[in-house]
Amino acid sequence: MVLTEVLGVYENTSKDLLELFENFSDMFRNASLHMMFCTSSASTNIQARLIQQRFKQTIINAKFGGQTEAIRRLLAQLPISSQSYSSSPYLDLSLFSYDDKWVSVMERPKGCGDHPIRFYARDSGLLKFKIHAGVLGRNAPPTARRLVAFTFHPYDPFAISVQRTNAEYIVNFHIRHY
């Protein structure tokens, strides 16, 4: 018989829970697999921690923000669905730098830019590859809200993007070509 012990119950404004989340975020998702796959998270990667700290400071400094609102917004990510994070090395912030406004390790729709997403080697700063969302050579209407969701393969150079523009969906398969 397996027994479980509740160690603590926290409010959604708990500084202690936020500290646990920031320092041990991998334990909140895929807890049994966290040693097999090293995804970029605030607890394992300095670049991911900087992104999270920048987001936290943005909320603190916002007009109706503050420390309590920042804690509430960061803890709103819990519980984390284990399927919502990609373990692809192409999204590893210690290997590549990219604009996290357009793509991130969390698989959810984001705004779609007019230019390709550029991935640079973290060690050399050289452009390694680009990903174009949508259809090349076809512009969306200027008033259209475009969203795109990327799903990266865990280790092969392959990604799928699903872009929505108003009621139209475009699915792209991104394969590395040599």
Side-chain angles (χ1 to χ4, degrees):
M1 183 166 139
V2 177
L3 297 176
T4 302
E5 180 182 351
V6 176
L7 299 176
V9 177
Y10 298 93
E11 293 287 330
N12 67 346
T13 56
S14 170
K15 290 181 181 179
D16 294 335
L17 182 57
L18 179 62
E19 185 178 333
L20 288 171
F21 179 51
E22 287 178 336
N23 293 322
F24 305 101
S25 59
D26 288 333
M27 297 305 290
F28 285 87
R29 61 174 185 197
N30 288 335
S32 62
L33 298 175
H34 81 281
M35 292 300 188
M36 283 177 59
F37 302 105
C38 186
T39 58
S40 288
S41 69
S43 60
T44 60
N45 184 287
I46 188 67
Q47 286 83 15
R49 182 174 288 271
L50 290 172
I51 290 169
Q52 183 168 339
Q53 291 301 320
R54 193 170 52 227
F55 176 63
K56 185 176 169 182
Q57 285 303 313
T58 301
I59 298 168
I60 290 171
N61 297 330
K63 186 174 183 179
F64 295 106
Q67 186 72 27
T68 304
E69 183 62 22
I71 292 171
R72 187 177 288 122
R73 293 268 308 270
L74 287 167
L75 292 179
Q77 300 173 46
L78 297 175
I80 297 172
S81 169
S82 60
Q83 291 83 18
S84 63
Y85 277 86
S86 174
S87 59
S88 172
Y90 296 99
L91 298 176
D92 186 344
L93 289 167
S94 62
L95 299 175
F96 297 102
S97 67
Y98 50 85
D99 190 348
D100 62 327
K101 180 179 179 183
W102 308 118
V103 67
S104 69
V105 294
M106 184 167 223
E107 293 178 357
R108 63 181 180 88
K110 289 194 165 231
C112 185
D114 295 329
H115 303 287
I117 302 166
R118 291 176 172 82
F119 290 77
Y120 297 91
R122 181 72 64 184
D123 58 354
S124 66
L126 296 175
L127 177 66
K128 289 299 184 179
F129 62 95
K130 297 185 272 189
I131 292 182
H132 299 269
V135 179
L136 291 175
R138 188 171 126 195
N139 293 329
T143 59
R145 177 170 158 110
R146 299 183 325 167
L147 295 173
V148 64
F150 289 94
T151 303
F152 283 81
H153 192 276
Y155 52 85
D156 283 334
F158 174 70
I160 300 171
S161 67
V162 178
Q163 179 184 348
R164 189 192 87 188
T165 305
N166 295 333
E168 181 182 31
Y169 287 86
I170 299 169
V171 177
N172 286 319
F173 296 92
H174 306 275
I175 303 167
R176 182 177 177 186
H177 61 283
Y178 299 92

